[in-house]
Amino acid sequence: MRKAAVKDEILKCAQDPVYFINKYVRIRHPTRGLIPFQTFKYQDRTIECLLKKRFNVILKARQMGFTEVVSAFITWLMLFHPNQSVLCLATKAETAKQVIRRVRTALKRVPSWLLIADITTDNKTSIELANGSFVKSIAKSADAGRSEALSLLVVDEAAHIDGFDSIWTGIRPTISAGGRIIMLSTPLGVGNVFEKTYTDATEKRNDFNPICVMWYEHPEHIS
């Protein structure tokens, strides 16, 4: 590819995460192995919200590919935006590591000319690029991320994290300097931080953008 074409393609990817993800991100399918990530309409809609809105709270059905979507968005953010600090908080250590594995898969399979920042740190819980951007995953903890100044905080299955009320009190200030939040979960009753955040968002009582994705929006769902 000519230098001018490479420059144009990098710029296009940097400006449009949906384009980058569909053309260059690879994911592991449970039966088909490593495949190109071809996003569905509801995933495109979600990515647009992640790009435009600072705070997003996502109520979702199970098995909708949101770990893949968030991981691909993190890959794009780190690769094309220097000095991004991303923290992923989940219910269990193994769940938290899933994002790291997916980001690693994506980064290691983009064309060499598109990997504009080399991987400098790569382990089970974190990945860092030469441009200063990094992603780290942790399981629930009372002091999770309290000392971090974050560009993006991802809370996976927020309704299912025991003691998340106190964790949330400590972790939310980490994005006070302009960082963003993606809080997502399947439902688990009422009264928890996730449910209250989502309900208040739908009624415009907080700054979160509510996203609801139902099971029937997945085109491969078998009814």
Side-chain angles (χ1 to χ4, degrees):
M1 189 181 292
R2 293 177 302 173
K3 288 185 178 181
V6 167
K7 183 177 179 180
D8 289 344
E9 186 68 2
I10 291 174
L11 181 60
K12 189 172 183 178
C13 288
Q15 293 175 337
D16 188 348
V18 173
Y19 173 82
F20 165 73
I21 290 168
N22 278 272
K23 190 163 184 179
Y24 295 108
V25 170
R26 300 292 182 268
I27 59 173
R28 294 192 182 278
H29 190 276
T31 59
R32 289 183 281 163
L34 192 68
I35 61 172
F37 194 168
Q38 300 299 306
T39 53
F40 302 127
K41 289 183 179 180
Y42 71 86
Q43 293 173 324
D44 292 345
R45 185 174 76 244
T46 299
I47 294 168
E48 290 298 323
C49 288
L50 301 185
L51 186 62
K52 295 177 181 179
K53 303 290 185 179
R54 186 179 170 197
F55 302 144
N56 288 277
V57 56
I58 304 170
L59 176 64
K60 65 184 183 69
R62 296 187 182 279
Q63 303 300 319
M64 298 295 284
F66 271 94
T67 301
E68 286 79 6
V69 168
V70 171
S71 301
F73 181 79
I74 291 171
T75 302
W76 171 82
L77 185 69
M78 292 174 58
L79 191 57
F80 297 105
H81 299 80
N83 302 309
Q84 298 295 298
S85 51
V86 182
L87 178 66
C88 301
L89 174 66
T91 53
K92 297 179 292 186
E94 187 58 32
T95 304
K97 292 174 186 176
Q98 289 182 13
V99 171
I100 300 299
R101 285 198 291 268
R102 286 165 170 79
V103 171
R104 178 184 300 113
T105 296
L107 284 172
K108 289 192 173 182
R109 285 165 176 81
V110 298
S112 57
W113 54 264
L114 189 55
L115 190 64
I116 55 179
D118 291 336
I119 300 172
T120 56
T121 299
D122 182 3
N123 55 53
K124 292 181 179 180
T125 60
S126 65
I127 294 176
E128 186 169 356
L129 302 183
N131 65 3
S133 291
F134 71 86
V135 57
K136 180 168 67 173
S137 68
I138 57 173
K140 61 181 181 181
S141 170
D143 60 350
R146 285 178 183 266
S147 63
E148 304 277 356
L150 300 176
S151 307
L152 173 63
L153 169 65
V154 178
V155 185
D156 191 18
E157 289 295 356
H160 300 262
I161 298 178
D162 294 334
F164 184 56
D165 290 39
S166 59
I167 295 173
W168 180 239
T169 299
I171 204 170
R172 182 162 186 175
T174 62
I175 49 84
S176 60
R180 292 183 281 182
I181 300 173
I182 304 171
M183 185 188 295
L184 63 158
S185 187
T186 51
L188 183 67
V190 298
N192 55 72
V193 169
F194 173 78
E195 184 275 330
K196 289 187 286 187
T197 302
Y198 180 80
T199 299
D200 286 349
T202 61
E203 298 176 3
K204 302 188 183 302
R205 293 199 299 263
N206 61 27
D207 295 329
F208 277 81
N209 172 56
I211 302 170
C212 181
V213 179
M214 306 300 289
W215 61 269
Y216 53 78
E217 294 188 66
H218 197 306
E220 295 181 0
H221 173 79
I222 301 175
S223 58

